[in-house]
Amino acid sequence: MDRHLFVIFGATGDLARRKLIPALYELIAGADAWDSCRVLGVANSPLTDEAFQARATEALAAAGHPDAAEWVAGHFHYQRATEGFDALGDRIRQLEATHSMPGNRLFYLALPPSVFDDVIAGLGNAGLAEAPGWVRLVVEKPFGSDLASARELNGLIHRWFPESSVHRIDHYLGKETVRNLLVFRFANMLFESAWNRDRVKDVQVTVAEELGVEGRGRYYDEAGALRDMVQNHLTQVMSLVAMEPPATFEADAIRDEKVKALRSIARIDVDDVVRGQYDGYQDDPSVPAGSTTETFIAARIDIDNWRWKGVPFYLRTGKRLAKRTTQVIIEFRDPPVCLFDREGSCQVHANILALTLQPHEGFELLFDVKEPGERIQLRTLPLDFFYEEEFGPLPDAYTTLIRDVIEGDQTLFVRADEVEESWRLWTPIVDGRRDLPVYPYEPGTWGPAAADHLLAGHRWVIR
Ligand code: BG6
C-alpha cells in the first residue's frame, strides 16, 4: 500500500465515524501496514488533534476494535475547515515533511452535497488538485440531483481533477456479491449462455429495507426513494446484470459496457413508475407535515438491445417493507409445452436464479424435481451457495472501496458519463413524480398493491 495522507472532509460526521474510520482500520490491520496511512480530519468543529483522536478511538471501539488507541494517537490529525484551504495546504505539506511522506493524497468528501462545490473549488484554487505524489478525489452520493446538476458537478470537478483521479462512490458496488456478479456471469458459461431474451422472462432487482427514515427526514424528504436509492444503487446493479461481456477486466472496459446498457434504454415511461409512502412516515419529526415524498418506488424498464429486447426489468425499493433483503431475480421462461399437468393445471415452475446481495449473501437456482412415489408430483428445490458457510464473514463494502481508491482502481466507481446516463433516465421521472399518485402502504408489507399491477402477466419474486 502506497504511503499516503487520507484527508476526510466531514471528519466529525456519521459516515466517517460509522464507516470510513473502521474500514480504514480494517484495511490497514489486514495488510499489517500500520505506517502507510495518516489521517487528516477536516470539519467545522474547533477540535484539537487529541480530541479528534479520542473520537476516532471511540468510533473504532464501537466498531469492534478496542485496541486502536495507539495507532490513532500516532497517525490521526485534525484541521479546522474554517481556517480555509491555504491553511489546509500548509498543514498537509507540514505533515508530509515531518513524517517524510511521499506526497500521495486522498481527499474524501464525506459531506452533504450542498457543500461539494465549495470544497472542490477550494481544493482546486489552493493548488491541491496537484501533489508531489498521486491525488485521488472521492465523492459520496448523491452525485447531483438531476441531469443538469450532475453535469455541472462533473464540469466543476474536471476543471481541476482529471477523471482518472475521481472516485464517485456507490457503496453497493463494493458489496462482495455485487462484485461477484461479474465473475458469476463471465466465468460460468452455463449462465451466460442463458442470459438473454431467448431464455429470460424478466429480471427483478429488489432492495427492501425494514427501517424507516429514522430522523433523516431533512435529507430524505427532499431526495425520496428515487434519488436516494434508484438513480444510484438500483441502476448500478441493473447495469451489471444487463451489460455485455467487457473486452478485458479493466475499469474502463467494464464501465464502457455499463454505459452502453444504460444508453440502450430509450426512456422510462412515467406510467411504468409506482410511488408509495409508508403509513407513519409523516409522524417522524424530521419529516415536513403533508409530505408527498415517496418511500417506496417500483419501475419497469425496457432495455432495447439485441440481448434484452422484450424482457422487462423491474426495480423496486422501499423503507419499512416486510424484510431487509437485496435480491436480483432472473426468472427464466416456461418450457414451451407442459408435460406435467395435475388436476388441469400445469405443475411446472419457471427456473429462477436468485442472487441475494444481502443480508444472507448467496445464490440459489430453483428447479423442479419429482417427489418420490408413484404419482408425478413436482416440487421446486434450490441448488444453492451461501458465502458465509463457504468463506466466513464478508468485508464491509467501504473496506473494499477504500482499498481500491488507495490502489487507484476505478472499476467499482461510477464514471462521469455513467452518472449522467443514469440521470438522463431518471430526471424526467424526478421532474414529473409530484404529478404521480403516492399510494400509502402498511409498514411490514411489500408496498402498495399498485406495484403488483405494474407487473401485468409477471409477479414479484422474493426468496
Ligand atoms: C444509502 C441510503 O445510500 O443506502 C439509505 O441513503 C439506505 O437511505 C442505505 O438506507 C442502504 O444501504 P445498505 O448497504 O444498508 O443496503
Side-chain angles (χ1 to χ4, degrees):
M1 195 185 297
D2 290 344
R3 290 190 69 220
H4 66 278
L5 188 66
F6 194 113
V7 184
I8 308 177
F9 291 91
T12 54
D14 197 48
L15 183 68
R17 181 173 54 80
R18 280 192 314 112
K19 293 288 183 187
L20 305 186
I21 295 173
L24 193 56
Y25 177 86
E26 279 151 30
L27 197 61
I28 280 169
D32 199 17
W34 298 101
D35 208 29
S36 59
C37 171
R38 276 183 183 278
V39 175
L40 178 60
V42 182
N44 286 332
S45 317
L47 296 182
T48 58
D49 278 7
E50 291 71 24
F52 178 54
Q53 289 162 5
R55 283 174 177 241
T57 306
E58 233 176 78
L60 286 168
H65 305 297
D67 303 324
E70 195 182 324
W71 173 67
V72 169
H75 296 86
F76 277 52
H77 314 272
Y78 184 79
Q79 174 75 16
R80 201 171 171 194
T82 47
E83 287 176 27
F85 285 89
D86 289 334
L88 176 66
D90 291 343
R91 184 74 194 281
I92 289 175
R93 286 182 284 274
Q94 173 247 317
L95 283 171
E96 287 173 345
T98 313
H99 299 285
S100 313
M101 297 182 75
N104 297 321
R105 300 169 190 167
L106 187 159
F107 298 110
Y108 199 118
L109 272 50
L111 294 167
S114 55
V115 293
F116 284 173
D117 288 12
D118 289 349
V119 175
I120 292 161
L123 287 170
N125 286 325
L128 289 168
E130 285 170 14
W134 48 250
V135 174
R136 308 224 160 105
L137 179 71
V138 186
V139 188
E140 267 292 337
K141 69 162 266 265
F143 193 93
S145 52
D146 56 15
L147 179 56
S149 55
R151 276 193 182 140
E152 221 168 277
L153 186 52
N154 275 333
L156 184 79
I157 290 175
H158 290 155
R159 270 177 70 184
W160 292 285
F161 295 90
E163 182 62 21
S164 59
S165 68
V166 184
H167 290 70
R168 293 174 196 77
I169 287 250
D170 182 311
H171 79 278
Y172 266 59
L173 292 179
K175 291 183 191 282
E176 196 58 40
T177 11
V178 176
R179 296 205 301 156
N180 198 33
L181 240 173
L182 294 175
V183 174
F184 187 84
R185 285 193 56 192
F186 302 128
N188 295 295
M189 191 60 192
L190 183 63
F191 294 110
E192 192 49 26
S193 59
W195 210 264
N196 57 51
R197 62 197 300 272
D198 298 333
R199 296 282 175 266
V200 175
K201 183 154 68 179
D202 65 59
V203 177
Q204 306 180 12
V205 180
T206 295
V207 181
E209 298 186 273
E210 271 177 44
L211 290 179
V213 70
E214 322 291 322
R216 287 170 75 219
R218 257 189 40 188
Y219 151 75
Y220 189 86
D221 197 68
E222 178 57 34
L226 186 45
R227 284 189 175 119
D228 186 49
M229 300 291 289
V230 179
Q231 179 276 329
N232 34 65
H233 306 325
L234 280 91
T235 304
Q236 282 297 323
V237 173
M238 176 184 71
S239 54
L240 288 170
V241 174
M243 68 184 259
E244 293 299 315
T248 65
F249 206 66
E250 275 158 22
D252 275 331
I254 293 171
R255 298 190 299 177
D256 285 346
E257 297 306 332
K258 287 167 68 196
V259 172
K260 265 168 61 186
L262 295 180
R263 285 175 55 199
S264 308
I265 303 168
R267 64 193 188 91
I268 298 165
D269 200 326
V270 72
D271 294 334
D272 286 338
V273 175
V274 170
R275 302 165 70 225
Q277 187 187 82
Y278 67 81
D279 290 338
Y281 171 67
Q282 293 179 35
D283 300 339
D284 190 300
S286 64
V287 171
S291 164
T292 57
T293 294
E294 77 283 348
T295 60
F296 173 96
I297 194 158
R300 175 205 157 107
I301 295 175
D302 293 299
I303 303 182
D304 297 322
N305 63 14
W306 281 59
R307 184 186 287 264
W308 294 118
K309 180 80 188 171
V311 179
F313 277 63
Y314 298 113
L315 311 186
R316 68 173 167 172
T317 184
K319 295 203 181 282
R320 300 296 314 266
L321 295 186
K323 68 172 179 180
R324 175 173 180 253
T325 186
T326 297
Q327 286 192 346
V328 175
I329 299 287
I330 313 284
E331 191 171 18
F332 292 94
R333 290 193 183 282
D334 298 309
V337 174
C338 182
L339 294 181
F340 305 104
D341 260 23
R342 216 188 130 92
E343 286 153 18
S345 68
C346 181
Q347 286 195 70
V348 177
H349 301 95
N351 292 124
I352 286 177
L353 177 67
L355 312 175
T356 303
L357 308 186
Q358 61 186 16
H360 191 35
E361 293 91 348
F363 301 155
E364 290 171 277
L365 177 64
L366 303 189
F367 66 110
D368 282 348
V369 296
K370 179 187 163 302
E371 286 183 7
E374 232 177 274
R375 288 186 327 170
I376 301 239
Q377 172 73 39
L378 268 54
R379 168 119 50 114
T380 303
L381 288 175
L383 272 173
D384 56 31
F385 147 74
F386 292 102
Y387 276 81
E388 189 136 30
E389 286 161 17
E390 209 61 43
F391 298 116
L394 293 173
D396 185 79
Y398 275 94
T399 311
T400 303
L401 294 175
I402 290 176
R403 185 193 53 227
D404 285 357
V405 177
I406 295 170
E407 289 177 356
D409 182 347
Q410 292 181 298
T411 311
L412 301 176
F413 298 86
V414 186
R415 205 168 60 186
D417 54 346
E418 215 180 332
V419 79
E420 291 182 14
E421 270 307 318
S422 172
W423 274 123
R424 174 186 67 80
L425 294 175
W426 293 109
T427 298
I429 309 294
V430 167
D431 291 345
R433 70 181 160 157
R434 301 281 173 202
D435 300 332
L436 286 174
V438 56
Y439 299 101
Y441 62 93
E442 280 280 304
T445 64
W446 286 104
D452 299 334
H453 306 326
L454 184 70
L455 266 65
H458 299 244
R459 70 205 158 102
W460 291 108
V461 175
I462 209 77
R463 282 295 291 165

